[in-house]
Amino acid sequence: MNRAVRGSDGRKWTLKTNIEWSDPLQVDEWELDVSGGRSPGVVMGTIVFVMIAAFLVWTPTAVIVPIWVILALLVLVLFFPVRWLVRRPWTVIADTPGDTDEHPPERWVGVVRGALTARQESARVARNIELYAEPDMNGALQPVE
């Protein structure tokens, strides 16, 4: 998503949000975030797939499987991939080229999780630029040199 915002001091800012397919370093710096990589997800997915296949193969032909059981299995299989996709980190960037010595170029960068959170943060940053001529220092974005 790209958006042009005019600051209260007259500078033109460009606001960009991009989805990150790999976790940026600053997102994973949480003390208890210990990950074994992709292996646990692949192993659990394989186990769930094998259990569902065994359930379907060993079901006698005389048994009628209700549709809600099939839907429950589908939800079970799709829960974590959909959660992974929805909770991807987004990078929010606010840039201004500057116009004079009084207003040098600036770049603010931050990372948020989820598309809805990225949209809300983008709107909040745009509002702060319109009112105060720069993003909020206490928000998700921080100045980059």
Side-chain angles (χ1 to χ4, degrees), residues 11-114:
R11 290 186 293 174
K12 183 180 175 188
W13 289 75
T14 304
L15 206 57
K16 300 175 192 171
T17 55
N18 300 315
I19 191 167
E20 297 293 335
W21 293 107
S22 62
D23 287 337
L25 181 62
Q26 58 264 49
V27 173
D28 286 337
E29 290 181 356
W30 192 51
E31 174 180 304
L32 299 175
D33 188 17
V34 179
S35 174
R38 294 187 179 120
S39 300
V42 171
V43 169
M44 288 305 294
T46 304
I47 289 171
V48 168
F49 179 74
V50 168
M51 291 177 79
I52 290 172
F55 175 73
L56 294 175
V57 169
W58 286 341
T59 303
T61 56
V63 174
I64 299 173
V65 179
I67 191 73
W68 65 267
V69 172
I70 296 170
L71 291 176
L73 292 175
L74 186 64
V75 167
L76 178 70
V77 169
L78 292 179
F79 176 75
F80 286 107
V82 169
R83 182 180 178 272
W84 177 85
L85 185 63
V86 169
R87 296 292 299 160
R88 294 307 315 147
W90 286 71
T91 302
V92 182
I93 302 170
D95 276 326
T96 182
D99 52 4
T100 62
D101 291 335
E102 183 182 337
H103 299 291
E106 290 186 49
R107 181 177 178 92
W108 293 61
V109 179
V111 177
V112 295
R113 280 203 178 268

